[in-house]
Amino acid sequence: DTGVSQDPRHKITKRGQNVTFRCDPISEHNRLYWYRQTLGQGPEFLTYFQNEAQLEKSRLLSDRFSAERPKGSFSTLEIQRTEQGDSAMYLCASSLGVVNTIYFGEGSWLTVV
Amino acid sequence: AQSVTQPDIHITVSEGASLELRCNYSYGATPYLFWYVQSPGQGLQLLLKYFSGDTLVQGIKGFEAEFKRSQSSFNLRKPSVHWSDAAEYFCAVTNRDDKIIFGKGTRLHILP
């Protein structure tokens, strides 16, 4: 069990470009979560999946953001037409079932210049 | 709406002193509560959790927390802090079938 892994760990992109982050949850964890965290703030919920089904999407997630979890394994978070306000750390987490310990990855830092 | 409040943005304590970090929650259903710790540039590590049963829960690294339903609180404590405890601490709440909501965090500074 290697924990939740995220890739890339750091990404610098120009405004207007698209970026994609990948998350590999702990194997057999059926729930997968995406959070965003800016400096000095707590993680803000973006979306979560149970297996391949996206159960909820935060109002924070504009139409430029899309997340997928094909086959209920890894997940991708894509941001289209990035803006400077998208600069943040994007955290992925997974858990086995509901009301269970949620394990976080190390995060993917995005800087939009 | 559900929310978590951590009233102290920064706390400074001397090494060896006791620590209490405050957390208040607002949740319509039976809450499940967590404390996580985050070192700079890192992900979040679970310190402890409360789901049910004994309202005083023990966690890793010598931390404990007490759930007080009447006060809607879940304060984190440690009897004697170490310099390595300097980090950011997040309280979080969820219930069945819901996502976790985090507080804004408390940054802990340790004086030598």
Side-chain angles (χ1 to χ4, degrees):
Chain A
D1 184 352
T2 58
V4 179
S5 63
Q6 295 188 241
D7 183 70
R9 292 292 317 280
H10 298 89
K11 179 74 175 178
I12 299 174
T13 191
K14 291 183 178 179
R15 190 173 50 189
Q17 298 294 304
N18 298 344
V19 296
T20 299
F21 298 111
R22 176 182 169 122
C23 172
D24 287 273
I26 294 171
S27 61
E28 299 183 357
H29 276 194
N30 57 349
R31 284 214 162 188
L32 186 147
Y33 306 79
W34 284 100
Y35 286 82
R36 179 172 64 191
Q37 187 178 23
T38 52
L39 284 175
Q41 298 296 314
E44 296 175 298
F45 169 78
L46 294 179
T47 188
Y48 76 115
F49 295 83
Q50 179 152 308
N51 300 313
E52 64 274 12
Q54 189 172 18
L55 296 187
E56 187 174 341
K57 199 173 166 181
S58 166
R59 284 188 293 259
L60 291 175
L61 225 56
S62 76
D63 291 343
R64 296 184 296 104
F65 287 71
S66 62
E68 294 182 342
R69 192 183 183 197
K71 303 178 184 178
S73 56
F74 72 91
S75 175
T76 57
L77 177 69
E78 181 183 17
I79 309 173
Q80 297 182 322
R81 304 181 303 282
T82 53
E83 301 173 356
Q84 286 189 320
D86 298 331
S87 296
M89 182 161 68
Y90 291 85
L91 288 160
C92 178
S94 70
S95 69
L96 181 61
V98 299
V99 191
N100 209 334
T101 300
I102 295 182
Y103 295 91
F104 282 83
E106 295 294 313
S108 292
W109 283 98
L110 173 64
T111 301
V112 181
V113 297
Chain B
Q2 53 266 36
S3 65
V4 178
T5 302
Q6 294 181 246
D8 304 304
I9 298 173
H10 294 271
I11 280 191
T12 301
V13 298
S14 298
E15 190 169 16
S18 64
L19 170 71
E20 182 169 30
L21 302 182
R22 296 182 291 165
C23 172
N24 292 96
Y25 66 90
S26 172
Y27 214 77
T30 302
Y32 299 94
L33 296 152
F34 306 83
W35 274 98
Y36 283 84
V37 62
Q38 185 178 38
S39 298
Q42 302 297 311
L44 283 78
Q45 181 184 22
L46 179 71
L47 284 176
L48 48 78
K49 62 188 179 187
Y50 171 77
F51 287 171
S52 65
D54 192 346
T55 56
L56 183 64
V57 293
Q58 303 297 319
I60 62 171
K61 306 184 180 185
F63 286 92
E64 66 177 26
E66 186 171 12
F67 170 57
K68 293 185 177 180
R69 185 185 297 274
S70 62
Q71 298 176 19
S72 297
S73 70
F74 189 57
N75 294 348
L76 182 71
R77 299 193 295 248
K78 186 170 185 178
S80 175
V81 298
H82 185 263
W83 64 267
S84 60
D85 293 325
E88 186 126 28
Y89 292 79
F90 294 97
C91 182
V93 65
T94 187
N95 77 340
R96 290 188 69 83
D97 298 324
D98 210 350
K99 69 276 185 187
I100 280 192
I101 302 297
F102 286 85
K104 292 187 182 298
T106 297
R107 180 162 293 280
L108 176 63
H109 306 270
I110 307 293
L111 294 175

